[in-house]
Amino acid sequence: MNLVLDKSTWQRVAFGDVIDSITDRVDDPSAAGVDRYVGREHLDPVIMTVRRWDSPDIVEAQKLRFRSGDVIFGRRRAYQKKVALAEFEGICSAHALVLRARPGFIDPAFLPVFLSSDYFLDRAIEISVGSLSPTVNWRDLKSQEFVLPPLDEQKRIADLLWAIERHRLAAADTAESLRATKSAVFADRLAAGVEQSGWSSDSVASLVEAGPTNGKSAPANDQKRGVPTLSISAVRGGLVTGGDSVKFIDVEPASVDGFLLQEDDFLIVRGNGNRQLTGRGGLVVGGLPTGCIYPDLLIRLRFNAARMLPQFAAEQWNSVHAHTALLENAKSTNGIWKINGKDIKSHRLVVPPLEAQTELLAEARTFDRSIEATQAEANRLRAVLRTLSSTIFGGN
């Protein structure tokens, strides 16, 4: 498609004149006659299709019905940019808007492309009301005016962007499939070692030289003043990363010496509203600012490398089998899932000989290289998609 667009043919329209808000309410979700419920937690930012859902049986209270081809827009906290096309029928949170293209005005395939653009989302964020949980109201949104292309141009734009998005999703799915295969192979190797070679399964308490130890928390400042520390978002992908996860606190450096991070420290998420993120761990492998400490939201272990290589500990800790076992001890308080030092001390890990640990890590790294390559392709296509969207809708 030629991106030298003739915007002289584009027309300014009120949102509510070309797009309908569907308010087909369902009072009893379990009796809705559908098998999929989509909550805000199932909508992934910058992904244009609904990829996750749950059963209507798990929710109560009033919901909204949607049909295939509708777009679900997370109107609460619009800055999270949760917009997705539903390719099936179901019910969704009443804290969303179900938006449907009005025939003759909006091409259905163009609707999610437009709603996912910064052109639309920046406006939605701007008109949100409320401080704690800013929300977009339909009465405000429907009067907003946007400059949109004619139907034939909409179709050409949609065809181009959807082709890129489908390619990106395929790459992301391949990466996810590789992760699942890696996890299954790793679990099989450990099980075979226990059964055939007599590898022991020992408590974490017997495998560490220090910890578990909670971190140190203090109010953060916005001036990058004082001691660098981390947010729990630093623990991702089995590693501890800095970047946007670094913040600063006003404390005397000498008072937090005991919380200084060093290479091969292992940090565990102590609590999270998402049960699956609770207990996840990350290894410190560099890249943190000098003098960085860790907060009370995280728990630190230092593995005894004579018994378990820190890299191997991280690999096993985040494996499906080990993480599932740890979560059996997680407890929920006020919607937050937590584990504690006692849970971690009693958690058991398989302990192969160091030579076998090295071999298993080498096999895991082979998978990682393939995963990183396909994920990089998915990320590249996401960047291309965003650039094209900005080019198409920019300047309106």
Side-chain angles (χ1 to χ4, degrees), residues 274-308:
N274 184 337
R275 187 171 184 267
Q276 288 304 311
L277 295 180
T278 304
R280 290 290 182 188
L283 193 67
V284 176
V285 292
L288 299 180
T290 301
C292 189
I293 69 168
Y294 66 105
D296 189 49
L297 296 169
L298 302 173
I299 297 175
R300 180 174 63 187
L301 296 177
R302 285 179 176 162
F303 282 92
N304 178 358
R307 293 213 63 207
M308 180 166 284

Side-chain angles (χ1 to χ4, degrees), residues 1-155:
M1 174 185 167
N2 186 355
L3 281 179
V4 181
L5 302 171
D6 179 12
K7 292 196 174 182
S8 66
T9 62
W10 293 33
Q11 293 186 339
R12 182 174 295 278
V13 296
F15 192 86
D17 288 345
V18 297
I19 296 168
D20 292 319
S21 174
I22 307 304
T23 56
D24 184 1
R25 302 188 184 281
V26 175
D27 292 323
D28 183 358
S30 63
V34 296
D35 58 7
R36 295 178 184 182
Y37 161 72
V38 178
R40 290 184 66 260
E41 67 275 15
H42 299 124
L43 300 177
D44 299 302
V46 301
I47 294 180
M48 288 200 298
T49 52
V50 178
R51 308 277 285 172
R52 299 182 294 117
W53 52 82
D54 219 319
S55 168
D57 295 337
I58 71 164
V59 293
E60 299 176 347
Q62 192 177 77
K63 305 300 175 190
L64 296 177
R65 187 185 299 274
F66 61 85
R67 71 186 188 193
S68 180
D70 289 342
V71 177
I72 302 172
F73 167 47
R75 66 191 183 98
R76 177 171 287 184
R77 301 188 184 95
Y79 57 82
Q80 294 179 340
K81 300 188 175 183
K82 294 188 172 187
V83 178
L85 169 70
E87 298 177 298
F88 50 84
E89 65 175 347
I91 58 174
C92 69
S93 168
H95 296 302
L97 287 176
V98 176
L99 301 175
R100 184 176 298 165
R102 189 172 292 179
F105 295 95
I106 297 289
D107 185 281
F110 177 80
L111 180 59
V113 167
F114 165 61
L115 295 178
S116 297
S117 70
D118 287 341
Y119 177 45
F120 168 75
L121 288 169
D122 287 349
R123 184 79 62 83
I125 294 167
E126 182 183 330
I127 65 171
S128 296
V129 294
S131 55
L132 294 178
S133 185
T135 301
V136 178
N137 293 317
W138 173 248
R139 66 175 178 271
D140 299 321
L141 181 59
K142 68 181 181 180
S143 63
Q144 298 300 306
E145 293 187 346
F146 297 91
V147 179
L148 297 179
L151 282 169
D152 59 341
E153 193 87 279
Q154 290 180 25
K155 186 178 187 311

